[in-house]
């Protein structure tokens, strides 16, 4: 059974940093596309950052230069380093994994999310 468990969320002031982690079990993530998504209250879920099987990364414009996605293949763990946080970054953050090497298809497996709250 594939499981993705996010942790590291919390409440910080604007300008602060958080590091989210996503531990994966039951699935080999080193050669597939994985990503972080978020959903703010009253808004649709949006893509935040992706990393493909080759390690190539992509970011939403709103987080580019502030967030960094990375993966530890040995630990089967995905990370999202978030710096210079803003109140508009407040959301539930979800980890997801696809079945493909490149990020050209949708995500198949999802975690339950971790809440990030940024105060001004």
């Amino acid at each position: 059974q594939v499981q993705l468990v996010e942790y590291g969320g919390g409440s910080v002031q604007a300008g602060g940093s958080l590091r989210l982690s996503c531990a994966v079990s039951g699935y080999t993530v080193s050669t597939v596309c994985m990503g972080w998504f978020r959903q703010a209250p009253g808004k649709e879920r949006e893509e935040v950052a992706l990393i493909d099987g080759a390690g190539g990364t992509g970011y939403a414009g709103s987080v580019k230069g502030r967030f960094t996605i990375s993966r530890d293949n040995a630990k089967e763990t995905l990370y999202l380093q978030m710096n210079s946080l803003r109140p508009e970054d407040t959301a539930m953050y979800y980890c997801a994994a696809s079945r493909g090497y490149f990020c050209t298809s949708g995500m198949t497996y999802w975690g339950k999310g971790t809440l990030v709250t940024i105060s001004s």
Side-chain angles (χ1 to χ4, degrees):
Q1 182 180 359
V2 179
Q3 286 189 316
L4 283 71
V5 180
E6 305 95 334
Y7 52 98
S11 298
V12 299
Q13 289 189 326
S17 298
L18 283 173
R19 188 195 196 201
L20 304 184
S21 301
C22 172
V24 182
S25 60
Y27 193 58
T28 299
V29 301
S30 59
T31 57
V32 297
C33 171
M34 294 194 69
W36 288 96
F37 297 76
R38 67 186 181 186
Q39 186 167 20
K43 295 187 177 181
E44 294 187 354
R45 186 175 63 196
E46 64 173 344
E47 177 185 298
V48 175
L50 298 174
I51 183 167
D52 65 24
T57 59
Y59 299 90
S62 60
V63 308
K64 193 173 294 185
R66 301 187 297 123
F67 290 11
T68 302
I69 188 171
S70 63
R71 176 173 55 202
D72 186 326
N73 293 334
K75 295 182 178 180
E76 301 284 13
T77 301
L78 183 73
Y79 302 99
L80 184 68
Q81 178 66 44
M82 305 187 295
N83 299 327
S84 302
L85 285 162
R86 305 167 180 170
E88 54 264 39
D89 294 318
T90 294
M92 185 70 80
Y93 283 71
Y94 299 91
C95 167
S98 78
R99 291 179 176 173
Y101 187 83
F102 293 109
C103 300
T104 54
S105 60
M107 297 295 175
T108 302
Y109 304 107
W110 292 85
K112 294 184 178 181
T114 186
L115 182 62
V116 171
T117 304
I118 312 302
S119 58
S120 57

